[in-house]
Amino acid sequence: MHTELRYGRIKYLSFLLLDLVCLVLSNFASLSLYIGSKDISYNFIDHYSVVIAMIVIDVAVTFAFSTLRRVLRWRKRREIYESARHIFFCFIILGLFLFLTKTGAGYSRAVVLLAYIFDYVLICGGRTAWRFILSRCRKKPDTPTALLMTTDRFVDEGIERLKEINLDVQYLFLLKNINKKEIEGIPVAKDVEEVASIICWKEIDKVYIYGLDHQMVPDYLRNACKEMKLSFDLVDFNYRVIDITTIRNNDPKYGALSFLESKRDIPFPIRRVYWITETEADLHRGFHAHKLNCQLLYCPYGVIDIILDDGVNKTTVTLDRPSKGLILMPGLWREMVWRQSGSVLCVLASEYYDASEYIRDYDKFIAYSKKYREVSVKSGEEKKRSRKIEEVIA
Ligand code: TYD
């Protein structure tokens, strides 16, 4: 891991040096052109001091605006835009230097202008070529590589799931860190900065989050992925039946005590809790899906069938004891059937009530689920889903 990080820095440094070489070359090219056309004696001391000023400004701009960061990831258009921005800032600062200092006053501005035009062309060409050479030197792995963000609870399952869709998990990031350096030989990033650095420098093909609510992933990570044109996907389970920890006393008269703990048992923040009581047997409710809302359902008293439909498969989960919970992720059509009068349904929800986030029309739900069933990979009998997180949020 540490060697890898150093390798990352070397890459960073190599681009920095490349920029400086471009700058020096462009200066000499512009100077020889200027002297060639004017054929006048030129004050080389002035020239060197301006070149040194240009180098200092270039390095300062590079660090201040991080223009080299993520350079390996950028596509050509982005590269051109970033180089232009870099040169623009250098130019403004150098302009001030030329106009405000004595050295600057005696220096030909035409040379500087020419130098920057050359510099721009060289930087764009040089970086693109260097990036190409580096990518050719890299040993391409057989399977696409992924960074997996998950919680310690879902880590094994997440790795398995990504393997099933033929992705090689190279790095892990546990949103609730458990201070492990690696799990099953896969390095664990210790904080979001390290994740950002992995995204920047490693050849990660995809970033996945597994079994989590999108709100646990920091916005800037999502933006970093977007900026680097890395797809940021949510590979989650549609639903999950969980055992709710239940404590019983030796003396049956004490009954049972069940509890759920935020983050440990519930993979999303809770914004709303509601429950349905005073029901009659054979009551049917629900008939909707959520676009955003994640829920945890449990039935502390009675028996309730939850019929789930992901647009392809239907399944029924029966909540028939207080120690059984059901986590439902967005995009599932559900119908609840009360099998026993007085049964109580309790729901922990990740979102405040928002009628616009419901899909209540089944045809619309089918169209919606089709749209978001981006990659369906056969695994056993089950079809896996992967949704573009930005689209889900939108
Ligand atoms: P609804 O979602 O239709 O219940 P179900 O799908 O189980 O049949 O909700 C019934 C009514 O309650 C509806 O008018 C919206 C309102 N409601 C809230 O105001 N806040 C809430 O948190 C919930 C769940 C419902």
Side-chain angles (χ1 to χ4, degrees), residues 23-72:
L23 188 65
V24 173
L25 282 181
S26 56
N27 259 292
F28 279 102
S30 59
L31 188 63
S32 15
L33 207 77
Y34 184 80
I35 294 173
S37 66
K38 294 265 170 181
D39 197 52
I40 49 160
S41 61
Y42 198 81
N43 185 347
F44 277 92
I45 299 295
D46 272 356
H47 176 74
Y48 285 126
S49 46
V50 174
V51 168
I52 288 167
M54 283 170 99
I55 289 174
V56 170
I57 291 165
D58 192 81
V59 173
V61 167
T62 298
F63 279 104
F65 297 97
S66 289
T67 48
L68 280 180
R69 273 189 85 207
R70 308 188 281 263
V71 75
L72 276 180

Side-chain angles (χ1 to χ4, degrees), residues 148-159 161-162 173 175-176 208-217 233-240 242 263-269 294-295 327-330 385-387 389:
L148 173 65
M149 298 188 195
T150 184
T151 52
D152 52 340
R153 177 172 283 251
F154 296 127
V155 69
D156 294 339
E157 208 179 301
I159 294 171
R161 187 64 69 91
L162 289 192
F173 180 53
L175 279 118
K176 194 173 158 280
Y208 275 97
I209 52 173
Y210 183 78
L212 291 162
D213 181 32
H214 53 83
Q215 285 152 39
M216 285 173 80
V217 178
D233 291 339
L234 178 67
V235 183
D236 61 339
F237 42 84
N238 292 339
Y239 71 92
R240 176 187 305 269
I242 57 162
K263 289 189 182 165
R264 292 186 182 160
D265 303 299
I266 311 161
F268 51 80
C294 307
Q295 296 180 321
I327 297 175
L328 298 181
M329 293 314 237
R385 282 160 45 121
S386 163
R387 288 192 302 273
I389 193 161

Side-chain angles (χ1 to χ4, degrees), residues 199-246:
I199 293 171
C200 283
W201 296 113
K202 310 295 178 300
E203 296 290 338
I204 298 287
D205 298 303
K206 276 184 177 272
V207 176
Y208 275 97
I209 52 173
Y210 183 78
L212 291 162
D213 181 32
H214 53 83
Q215 285 152 39
M216 285 173 80
V217 178
D219 267 358
Y220 73 88
L221 268 189
R222 225 182 301 154
N223 292 339
C225 292
K226 222 166 135 188
E227 201 173 281
M228 285 175 274
K229 301 235 166 33
L230 256 186
S231 70
F232 194 76
D233 291 339
L234 178 67
V235 183
D236 61 339
F237 42 84
N238 292 339
Y239 71 92
R240 176 187 305 269
V241 178
I242 57 162
D243 279 326
I244 301 173
T245 315
T246 299

Side-chain angles (χ1 to χ4, degrees), residues 285-300:
R285 292 192 70 141
F287 306 102
H288 62 248
H290 292 282
K291 290 184 194 167
L292 276 180
N293 203 12
C294 307
Q295 296 180 321
L296 195 155
L297 279 58
Y298 61 95
C299 171

Side-chain angles (χ1 to χ4, degrees), residues 272 274 276 285-286 288 336 353 358 360:
R272 186 163 50 112
Y274 61 91
I276 300 172
R285 292 192 70 141
H288 62 248
M336 289 89 85
Y353 180 73
Y358 280 65
R360 290 188 182 272

